Amino acid sequence: MAAPASFDDRNQRAPNPTAAWNSRLRELSKQGEYREALTLYRNMLRSSFLPNTFTFPFLLKSCAILSLPLTASQLHAHLIRTGSLPDPYSRSSLISSYSKCSLIHHARKVFDEMPNLTISYNAMISGYTFNSNLTDAVSLFHQLRRDDRGLEFNAVTLLGLVSGCSVPWHLNTGVCLHCCSVRFGFDADLAVANSLVTMYVKCGEVECARKMFDEMPVRDLISWNAMISGYAQNGLARHVLELYGEMKVSGVSADPVTLLGVLSSCANLGAQGVGREVEQRMERCGYGKNPFLMNALVNMYARCGNLVRAREVFESMVDKSVVSWTAIIGGYGIHGHGEVAVELFDQMVNSGVRPDEPVFVTVLSACSHAGLTDKGLKYFEEMEMKYGLQPGPEHYSCMVDLLGRANRLGEAMDLIKSMKVKPDGAVWGALLGACKIHRNVELAELAFQHVVELEPANIGYYVLLSNIYTEAKDLEGVLRVRVMMRERKLKKDPGCSYVEYKGKVHLFYSGGLSHPQTKEIYRMLDELENLVKEVHQPDDTYQGKSEELLMGTGVHSEKLAIAFGLLNTRAGTEITVMKNLRVCVDCHLFIKMVSKIVNRQFIVRDATRFHHFRGGVCSCKDYCLHVSWAIICMNLSVMVASIGIDVEEKQRRLKNDLLAFGRLIPFFS
C-alpha cells in the first residue's frame, strides 16, 4: 500500500492550490493553533504559493491573539504587495491586529487611509475600547452617525462600545448606549443584552443589571454567568446561591465560570453543603482538573472550617500556582495555625514559586494571628529587598497589628510614619486595636482621630474606642463615643449565628425567641452558665467588652447556637457555628469552659477567623481578646473580589447575606 500523501503533495494536485492552504489555515485558527498557522504560512511562501485576500484574516487573528506586533507589520507589507489591502475584511483584520498588539496609532492610520465601511468602524471602535480609550471610541461612533454616505451602526458596533464601559465613572455613557440600543431595537439581540448586564455589573449598578437580566426574553449561559459573577464580585453571596438555584431549575448547565462564582460565595457564607454539591458537579462534568476551580475549592473548604479537606484538595493538585499556595496558607492562617502557614510559605518558595503581594498578605496575617513577630518582620523585609515587591496598605496593617500585639507600639507608629503610601483606615485601625490590648488611651485617641476621618461610618472603630475607655474606667469617654454614634446615626447589624443540622440551617439572633426549641435552648443555656460559674469565677476585666453589649442586645447568638447543637447532637459530635460578628470575650470564655465541661469540640467562624475550642483551650490562644478591626477588613478584602465598592460596603452586604442565608439551604439539600 502506498504511503499517504503529505499536505504539500495534496496541495500540488488541488485545482486551486491557494484555496487548499487557506482551508488548512482556517482549520488551525478554529482549533486555536495560532503559532502553527503562522508556521504554515511561512511554508506556503517557501513553496512559492501566493496568498490572497482570504489568507490574511486568519493570519492577522493569530498575530492579535499572540500579540506579535512585528509579524503584524510584516503581514501588512504582504497585504500591500499582493493588492489585498482594499478588501474590507483584510483591512478590518489588520486594524484589530494592530489594536490588540497595542499599536493603536498604526490601527488608526490604516483606518484613515482607506474608504471606510461599517466593518472598519467596528474594528476601530473595538480597538479603542480594547486599549481602554472609551473617549475616542465614542467620538468615532459619533463620526459614524454623521457619515454622509449613509453608513449605519449595528449590534457589533454597540458590543464594541459597551465593552469599554468597565468602571463606575463610565456609567453615564453605558446608560446612553443602553437607550440607543432600545431605540434602534438592538436590545433584543442576546449578545448586546448580555454585554449591557456585564456593563452595569462592572459599573457597580448590580440592581440595574438584575433588572436588565429579568427583562431578557431569552437567556443563555453567558447571561446567567454575567449575573452570577456580578453578584459574586460585588460581595452579594446570598444572591449568587439564589440565582444558581434558579439556573439549575431553568435547565441551563453550569460551566467553570458559573461554579467559580458559586464557590467564592460558599466560602463567604460558610455554605459547605452547597460547596460539596459543586465539587460533585465538577467531577461529573469533567472540571476536576480546572486549576481555577481547584483553587476556589481549597479556599471554600478552608473558610467553611474543613481544613482537612482543603489540604487534601491542595495536595491532589498537580500544578500548584501562587494562587493555590495563597489559598491554603490563608486557610491555615485564619484557623490559627500560623506555624503551619509559615512552613507552607517556605515550602512554596523552595519549590520555585515566586511569591506575589497577595500571598504576603496571607502569611503576614498568619504571623500576626499566631504572634510570630520576628518571622513576620523577616518576611516584610524580604518582600521588598529580596522580591522587589512594594508593600501596600494591607501589608502595613498586618505589620502594625503584629508589632502592636507584641507591645511595640512605638515601632508601629514609626512604621506608619515611614510608609511610602498614605495610611488607610485599616492601618490606623490596627494601631487602635493594639492600643486596646495595651490600654494606651492617648495613642488610641490619636489613631481614632485619623481612622474616623477615613472611615466615618465604620462602627467597629467606635466600638474599639469605647472598649478602651471602658477598660480605663473613663465613663465620660464612653459617653462621648455613644453620643458620637447617635449623632451620626450609626447602627450595628444584629448579631446572628447559624448551625447546619440534618440538611437545614438553624438561625439564631441575639436575644432571639423565635426558634421552636426556644424553651429547651434557654434551659440548657442556664444549666451551662451555672456549670461555667462553678469552674470559673467572673472577672471584672471580662465585663462590658462586647460589641453587641454596647448595642444592648441580650443573650448572644453563638451561645444559643451552641446550646441548640448540644441539645440535638450525640456525645462526641463536633459542632460548627457561623457568626456574622466577632465573638466577644464573654462568649469566647463561655465556649472554652463548655468545651471542657461537656468534652466536645466547637468550631466557630466569626467575622475575623476560626476558633477551634477543645478541652477548655481555643486555637486562637485568646487572640479574640485583642483582635483589631483592621484584620476584619483585611480578611474581607481577601475573601471578596473588588469591583467599585469598598470594604465597608462588602462587610455590610456579607452580614446581610448571613442573616438571610437560613432559607436557602433547604433548597439545595
Side-chain angles (χ1 to χ4, degrees):
M1 179 182 290
S6 67
F7 174 75
D8 288 340
D9 293 337
R10 295 196 306 272
N11 195 26
Q12 292 282 358
R13 297 194 297 268
N16 186 349
T18 300
W21 288 96
N22 290 345
S23 176
R24 179 59 181 154
L25 286 171
R26 183 187 300 108
E27 289 178 20
L28 291 172
S29 182
K30 286 183 178 180
Q31 296 167 4
E33 304 289 346
Y34 303 113
R35 292 192 182 278
E36 288 75 4
L38 293 173
T39 301
L40 183 67
Y41 178 64
R42 284 193 291 269
N43 292 337
M44 175 182 178
L45 296 178
R46 289 171 185 152
S47 301
S48 301
F49 291 101
L50 294 176
N52 57 25
T53 54
F54 299 104
T55 309
F56 293 103
F58 308 119
L59 300 170
L60 290 167
K61 177 183 177 182
S62 299
C63 290
I65 292 175
L66 297 173
S67 188
L68 300 172
L70 180 60
T71 306
S73 298
Q74 290 172 336
L75 288 172
H76 187 180
H78 289 197
L79 275 164
I80 296 172
R81 288 175 61 189
T82 59
S84 302
L85 192 57
D87 176 70
Y89 294 100
S90 297
R91 182 153 42 98
S92 62
S93 296
L94 183 59
I95 292 170
S96 297
S97 184
Y98 274 139
S99 300
K100 292 182 179 178
C101 291
S102 300
L103 297 174
I104 193 68
H105 297 298
H106 287 38
R108 184 59 192 250
K109 189 174 181 181
V110 173
F111 175 83
D112 289 337
E113 288 177 350
M114 300 294 176
N116 293 318
L117 300 172
T118 300
I119 187 174
S120 305
Y121 273 101
N122 290 347
M124 195 66 240
I125 287 171
S126 297
Y128 276 131
T129 56
F130 181 83
N131 285 273
S132 303
N133 191 342
L134 183 62
T135 302
D136 284 344
V138 172
S139 176
L140 196 62
F141 177 63
H142 289 314
Q143 180 179 322
L144 169 61
R145 298 291 310 279
R146 295 191 302 266
D147 195 291
D148 56 7
R149 288 167 296 172
L151 296 181
E152 295 183 355
F153 68 93
N154 54 28
V156 178
T157 318
L158 286 173
L159 284 171
L161 285 165
V162 173
S163 66
C165 302
S166 56
V167 287
W169 52 87
H170 291 161
L171 179 62
N172 288 339
T173 303
V175 171
C176 291
L177 291 170
H178 186 180
C179 294
C180 186
S181 68
V182 172
R183 179 183 175 187
F184 291 94
F186 292 115
D187 59 319
D189 185 286
L190 184 58
V192 172
N194 287 339
S195 70
L196 288 169
V197 171
T198 303
M199 179 273 294
Y200 280 120
V201 164
K202 289 182 177 179
C203 292
E205 293 293 329
V206 188
E207 292 180 4
C208 292
R210 182 57 189 263
K211 187 174 185 296
M212 179 81 191
F213 175 84
D214 289 338
E215 292 174 352
M216 292 171 66
V218 178
R219 305 184 192 110
D220 61 4
L221 177 61
I222 296 174
S223 316
W224 289 96
N225 283 348
M227 201 64 244
I228 286 175
S229 299
Y231 276 142
Q233 291 164 350
N234 281 275
L236 296 166
R238 172 174 56 90
H239 292 71
V240 170
L241 300 192
E242 287 177 342
L243 199 60
Y244 176 56
E246 292 178 25
M247 180 180 175
K248 292 200 296 185
V249 171
S250 73
V252 177
S253 298
D255 71 350
V257 176
T258 320
L259 300 181
L260 196 61
V262 175
L263 284 174
S264 69
S265 300
C266 291
N268 290 345
L269 289 174
Q272 185 176 180
V274 183
R276 279 196 297 265
E277 186 265 339
V278 171
E279 183 181 16
Q280 293 166 2
R281 179 177 286 269
M282 286 167 54
E283 294 298 328
R284 290 197 303 270
C285 297
Y287 302 145
K289 300 301 181 183
N290 185 298
F292 300 103
L293 286 176
M294 294 297 282
N295 292 335
L297 204 59
V298 172
N299 182 62
M300 184 276 295
Y301 277 122
R303 294 188 180 275
C304 288
N306 194 343
L307 198 53
V308 173
R309 180 59 187 152
R311 185 64 180 267
E312 289 174 352
V313 175
F314 174 78
E315 295 296 347
S316 71
M317 296 175 66
V318 178
D319 296 318
K320 300 179 179 70
S321 67
V322 68
V323 178
S324 316
W325 288 97
T326 301
I328 194 65
I329 290 169
Y332 276 100
I334 62 172
H335 280 270
H337 302 300
E339 292 82 0
V340 180
V342 165
E343 290 176 5
L344 284 168
F345 181 82
D346 293 339
Q347 185 179 335
M348 177 194 75
V349 172
N350 292 334
S351 70
V353 176
R354 184 178 179 82
D356 59 5
E357 289 90 344
V359 77
F360 270 107
V361 173
T362 59
V363 75
L364 291 175
S365 176
C367 290
S368 179
H369 279 222
L372 302 174
T373 308
D374 293 336
K375 200 75 173 176
L377 288 168
K378 172 178 172 289
Y379 288 142
F380 185 73
E381 181 182 354
E382 287 181 348
M383 184 178 174
E384 188 169 8
M385 300 296 293
K386 186 174 181 180
Y387 299 105
L389 300 174
Q390 186 64 43
E394 62 276 16
H395 303 99
Y396 281 104
S397 66
C398 290
M399 294 308 300
V400 170
D401 188 74
L402 185 76
L403 292 168
R405 290 191 67 234
N407 198 16
R408 296 161 68 168
L409 295 176
E411 292 179 53
M413 190 65 201
D414 291 340
L415 183 65
I416 294 175
K417 291 178 180 178
S418 70
M419 286 177 61
K420 298 178 181 178
V421 294
K422 184 180 179 180
D424 62 4
V427 173
W428 288 110
L431 183 63
L432 184 62
C435 292
K436 179 184 181 296
I437 302 172
H438 303 292
R439 305 187 181 186
N440 190 322
V441 178
E442 183 179 352
L443 190 57
E445 290 175 336
L446 174 64
F448 181 77
Q449 181 182 346
H450 284 283
V451 81
V452 292
E453 290 178 1
L454 295 164
E455 299 180 27
N458 193 328
I459 195 170
Y461 298 128
Y462 298 85
V463 172
L464 272 175
L465 185 62
S466 177
N467 290 345
I468 291 169
Y469 282 138
T470 301
E471 292 178 355
K473 303 188 185 304
D474 184 349
L475 298 182
E476 290 184 4
V478 174
L479 182 61
R480 285 199 303 273
V481 174
R482 296 193 180 190
V483 169
M484 198 182 305
M485 291 168 64
R486 193 177 302 116
E487 289 176 346
R488 299 183 182 187
K489 298 180 181 180
L490 298 176
K491 294 182 180 180
K492 194 163 197 67
D493 292 327
C496 75
S497 301
Y498 70 83
V499 177
E500 282 191 57
Y501 177 64
K502 291 186 176 180
K504 294 183 179 180
V505 164
H506 294 261
L507 190 64
F508 300 92
Y509 295 89
S510 292
L513 300 170
S514 60
H515 195 275
Q517 291 182 276
T518 292
K519 290 184 179 179
E520 294 88 343
I521 288 170
Y522 276 90
R523 190 181 300 116
M524 166 69 79
L525 196 56
D526 286 339
E527 293 176 5
L528 291 172
E529 287 181 336
N530 289 331
L531 290 170
V532 168
K533 288 177 183 177
E534 290 179 9
V535 298
H536 189 281
Q537 294 300 315
D539 187 338
D540 289 341
T541 61
Y542 289 104
Q543 304 307 313
K545 308 301 189 296
S546 166
E547 296 168 24
E548 292 168 65
L549 284 177
L550 185 64
M551 309 307 295
T553 51
V555 178
H556 292 182
S557 58
E558 61 268 47
K559 286 187 177 182
L560 299 176
I562 291 291
F564 168 82
L566 290 172
L567 277 172
N568 292 280
T569 58
R570 296 179 180 180
T573 304
E574 182 181 277
I575 296 173
T576 301
V577 176
M578 300 289 174
K579 179 175 170 122
N580 67 325
L581 304 177
R582 290 190 298 164
V583 174
C584 73
V585 176
D586 174 65
C587 290
H588 190 268
L589 177 63
F590 171 81
I591 300 172
K592 278 205 308 182
M593 294 298 101
V594 172
S595 72
K596 183 175 182 179
I597 292 167
V598 301
N599 193 26
R600 289 283 197 102
Q601 179 172 3
F602 303 113
I603 299 176
V604 179
R605 190 186 94 173
D606 67 7
T608 312
R609 58 172 298 150
F610 278 91
H611 303 265
H612 295 254
F613 299 92
R614 182 193 291 273
V617 178
C618 178
S619 62
C620 78
K621 302 174 184 176
D622 292 341
Y623 176 79
C624 80
L625 310 185
H626 316 307
V627 67
S628 76
W629 196 259
I631 298 299
I632 297 175
C633 296
M634 183 194 65
N635 284 342
L636 282 169
S637 68
V638 172
M639 285 166 58
V640 187
S642 174
I643 288 193
I645 57 173
D646 56 21
V647 169
E648 183 182 329
E649 177 65 10
K650 293 175 196 171
Q651 180 189 353
R652 183 188 67 78
R653 292 178 179 181
L654 181 55
K655 288 180 179 179
N656 290 339
D657 282 349
L658 284 166
L659 292 174
F661 180 53
R663 71 174 185 268
L664 283 178
I665 288 296
F667 181 83
F668 289 100
S669 58

